[in-house]
Amino acid sequence: GESVGLHLPTLSVQEGDNSIINCAYSNSASDYFIWYKQESGKGPQFIIDIRSNMDKRQGQRVTVLLNKTVKHLSLQIAATQPGDSAVYFCATHFGNEKLTFGTGTRLTIIP
Amino acid sequence: DTAVSQTPKYLVTQMGNDKSIKCEQNLGHDTMYWYKQDSKKFLKIMFSYNNKELIINETVPNRFSPKSPDKAHLNLHINSLELGDSAVYFCASSHSGRTDTQYFGPGTRLTVL
């Protein structure tokens, strides 16, 4: 089965700095990857996704990098703001409709 | 005008009771899901319905029974509640297909005493 892990359970970053959240996955057949943000008391919110035929995708202040060789996914957040403080999850799709979530990284932005 | 809504937001009940959580989406999506998030924030899918038809049924006790009266609603009924059922339950929906973005509801925090 799939297991999805995160390298660091917590991450603190100074406001204005860039942050990088990493994720490792185990199933080389995974072909779709998503990052979600979950603020306290709320449901996960889609941030950005990437398919396995790409290795980089950019959004507004966020970039997702995919390295299929080492089965590694990262989320880069540029110029962090207090509102970026949340738990970030990576998730992968493979096979059927099921989405497998990682264990989450709590990002804290220090003012 | 909330996209995915759940009721109630909080649910506190005694062991052995039966309870239901309701979910509605107004996005016109075909697929709906139930997830369970434990105290360590781990999110695990429980069920998925596409156009009222069950398509994913993870290893979940029979005490959990999803019901989809129409494609905009997916309710979760739990019989004989146990302490280990305490968690936050999230409903989600997607247009269709496994690579469509899933939109999550605000969650229902269930506490079993």
Side-chain angles (χ1 to χ4, degrees), chain A residues 70-82:
Chain A
V70 295
K71 291 181 280 190
H72 183 269
L73 188 70
S74 68
L75 175 71
Q76 300 176 2
I77 305 174
T80 52
Q81 303 168 358

Side-chain angles (χ1 to χ4, degrees), chain A residues 4-111:
Chain A
V4 183
L6 287 167
H7 292 311
L8 289 172
T10 62
L11 178 65
S12 295
V13 175
Q14 204 72 38
E15 183 179 351
D17 287 352
N18 300 334
S19 68
I20 300 176
I21 301 171
N22 295 303
C23 179
Y25 61 96
S26 62
N27 191 334
S28 57
S30 297
D31 58 3
Y32 179 59
F33 307 86
I34 315 104
W35 281 99
Y36 280 88
K37 172 186 180 183
Q38 186 178 17
E39 297 176 82
S40 180
K42 297 183 179 179
Q45 179 185 8
F46 171 87
I47 301 173
I48 192 168
D49 60 0
I50 188 168
R51 298 181 194 276
S52 59
N53 61 351
M54 302 170 69
D55 52 22
K56 180 179 180 179
R57 191 165 186 220
Q58 287 184 289
Q60 191 173 20
R61 287 200 304 117
V62 294
T63 301
V64 56
L65 298 176
L66 175 63
N67 185 331
K68 293 182 289 296
T69 303
V70 295
K71 291 181 280 190
H72 183 269
L73 188 70
S74 68
L75 175 71
Q76 300 176 2
I77 305 174
T80 52
Q81 303 168 358
D84 294 329
S85 292
V87 177
Y88 290 81
F89 294 95
C90 65
T92 65
H93 262 293
F94 71 103
N96 60 18
E97 308 274 340
K98 190 170 71 171
L99 190 62
T100 301
F101 280 80
T103 51
T105 291
R106 184 177 297 279
L107 175 66
T108 302
I109 306 303
I110 304 167

Side-chain angles (χ1 to χ4, degrees), chain B residues 46-63:
Chain B
M46 300 172 68
F47 302 101
S48 173
Y49 269 73
N50 182 274
N51 270 319
K52 302 195 299 175
E53 188 176 329
L54 181 66
I55 54 173
I56 292 177
N57 186 352
E58 291 294 292
T59 307
V60 176
N62 291 339
R63 300 180 294 101

